[in-house]
Amino acid sequence: MERKVIITECIGRILTAVFEDGQAVELRYSPPRYHAPCIGEIYVGKVKRILPDISGAFIEIADHVECFYSLDEKAKPIMAPAGKEKQALCAGDELLVQVKRDAIKTKQPLVTGNLTFVGKYVVLSSGKPGQFRASSKLSAKKLSELISWSKQYEGADFGAIFRTNAEEVSLSVLENEIARLAEKYHTVAAYGVMRTCRSLVCGVPGEAVRFLQDVNHKGLSEIVVDAVWDNGRLYREAKAFLEEEQPEDLPLLRAYTDRSYPLSKCYSLEHVTEEARKEKVWMKSGAYLVIQQTEALVVIDVNSGKCKKKTKDFCSLNQEAAREAARQIRLRNLTGIILIDFINMELKSEQEELLRFLRAELSKDSNPGKVVDMTGLQLVEITRKKIRKSLEESLHD
């Protein structure tokens, strides 16, 4: 599979698009200018109120910016000033917190005391010292190798998760990245506890550039970045980020410099976005999906439409629908409870094969949906974790 990343301006926002074998599979829009708070940033927060009924607290990280903090966190927070020990948080306490989730509708941003530092192959965290885990997408052989090798870090004051991208790299590369991330963590921890309250301790690159850490690098052939828009700011940021964080990917970086024909038009990104917002999605067979997003859940209905398949011979049509539904979930970043109403199949074996096929398609996503079950009415239940805003929300924030 050939994978390509495009970063450019589109419809007044910054767009990071992922294409796989020439087809768009991810669209991530972000505001054209920096806005705070931003996921990944680390602040010296101040506890404003304790809410024992919901086991939470509101922590102020900037003037008039309050975030929710769960008191059920097992990670021991880093308190400020340095050396201060607390059994339980109280109003007025200061601690280092990291923004974990954007504000969503009426909900405040979510912060955590478990500081994480993301690399291309490893995510290092302060919350589980000495504990090393690995992505479930890694092969059994690689998983065994990494868990055995990571025992050397049992006494470390940090833990880590090996990412899917670690599959094909040497242990020496992983060791170097862990050392770099650990140094960054120790610097932030030492520096942060001396900073004044409500100050930013550690910033992050723009969302579009930051995505280069998350993209699956297997099959990645090119990173095309707009070097025309805003006097080349996007390209400079992407290049600086890769030079510091992922120098091995610099050969993949290409600057788009054609001022006469925008990069967004070159890849029809406005059209791709428009299609990804439509309720009806046509498929090659003549069948179509109807995607409706409500407050409580997302419903995807499979319709035979113009399909000329024989009556009750819907196995291949349902597989086509499963493939397209998985792509649309990823493309639109649909989350929460998702119900898919496939065309009914009488045989239990056909139903089980469809669920296996759907699981395989969903697994291609970096945030894969989980198939829960098929109900008696043959509605397939899926849950997908909300990490960032949906495509529709990102175009209106």
Side-chain angles (χ1 to χ4, degrees), residues 116-171:
T116 60
F117 300 85
V118 182
K120 182 178 177 181
Y121 309 112
V122 176
V123 177
L124 185 141
S125 65
S126 66
K128 296 183 178 179
Q131 296 186 34
F132 279 66
R133 296 179 292 137
S135 165
S136 60
K137 293 185 178 182
L138 292 171
S139 66
K141 180 181 178 182
K142 189 68 174 183
L143 178 62
S144 176
E145 178 187 29
L146 291 176
I147 297 303
S148 176
W149 174 76
S150 64
K151 289 181 180 178
Q152 64 180 300
Y153 294 101
E154 285 181 353
D157 60 350
F158 56 82
I161 298 175
F162 296 105
R163 309 184 73 185
T164 305
N165 286 329
E167 179 70 51
E168 299 176 356
V169 298
S170 67
L171 296 178

Side-chain angles (χ1 to χ4, degrees), residues 148-298:
S148 176
W149 174 76
S150 64
K151 289 181 180 178
Q152 64 180 300
Y153 294 101
E154 285 181 353
D157 60 350
F158 56 82
I161 298 175
F162 296 105
R163 309 184 73 185
T164 305
N165 286 329
E167 179 70 51
E168 299 176 356
V169 298
S170 67
L171 296 178
S172 62
V173 171
L174 296 177
E175 188 171 24
N176 289 338
E177 182 163 275
I178 289 173
R180 179 177 62 81
L181 294 175
E183 182 181 6
K184 186 175 182 180
Y185 160 49
H186 293 139
T187 300
V188 166
Y191 170 68
V193 295
M194 296 186 292
R195 294 294 306 275
T196 58
C197 185
R198 294 185 290 271
S199 60
L200 175 64
V201 177
C202 183
V204 293
E207 185 177 339
V209 173
R210 199 161 69 246
F211 174 66
L212 295 177
Q213 288 181 318
D214 299 331
V215 67
N216 187 340
H217 285 69
K218 188 174 183 180
L220 184 60
S221 62
E222 202 172 23
I223 301 169
V224 185
V225 183
D226 195 326
V228 176
W229 183 79
D230 199 14
N231 296 316
R233 176 173 67 88
L234 278 177
Y235 180 75
R236 291 194 302 273
E237 287 183 2
K239 185 178 180 182
F241 176 80
L242 291 178
E243 285 175 339
E244 182 176 349
E245 304 285 345
Q246 299 170 203
E248 66 277 16
D249 289 330
L250 271 173
L252 302 178
L253 181 64
R254 182 167 73 84
Y256 186 84
T257 58
D258 188 346
R259 294 181 177 276
S260 64
Y261 197 68
L263 181 56
S264 60
K265 291 189 179 296
C266 185
Y267 287 90
S268 304
L269 295 175
E270 287 188 32
H271 175 72
V272 169
T273 301
E274 183 182 341
E275 290 296 307
R277 301 177 70 187
K278 288 183 177 178
E279 192 172 273
K280 184 178 287 189
V281 179
W282 287 98
M283 297 182 289
K284 289 182 179 179
S285 65
Y288 63 90
L289 306 179
V290 175
I291 304 174
Q292 295 179 323
Q293 189 164 6
T294 70
E295 280 289 324
L297 48 80
V298 177

Side-chain angles (χ1 to χ4, degrees), residues 294-335:
T294 70
E295 280 289 324
L297 48 80
V298 177
V299 179
I300 301 177
D301 187 34
V302 180
N303 293 270
S304 56
K306 302 175 183 178
C307 180
K308 297 180 180 180
K309 293 181 181 292
K310 295 180 180 179
T311 306
K312 298 183 181 180
D313 181 23
F314 291 118
C315 291
S316 61
L317 190 153
N318 275 336
Q319 286 195 358
E320 180 188 24
R323 182 183 296 110
E324 185 60 33
R327 185 178 82 91
Q328 291 295 328
I329 288 170
R330 185 178 173 190
L331 188 67
R332 302 171 188 229
N333 192 30
L334 303 175
T335 57

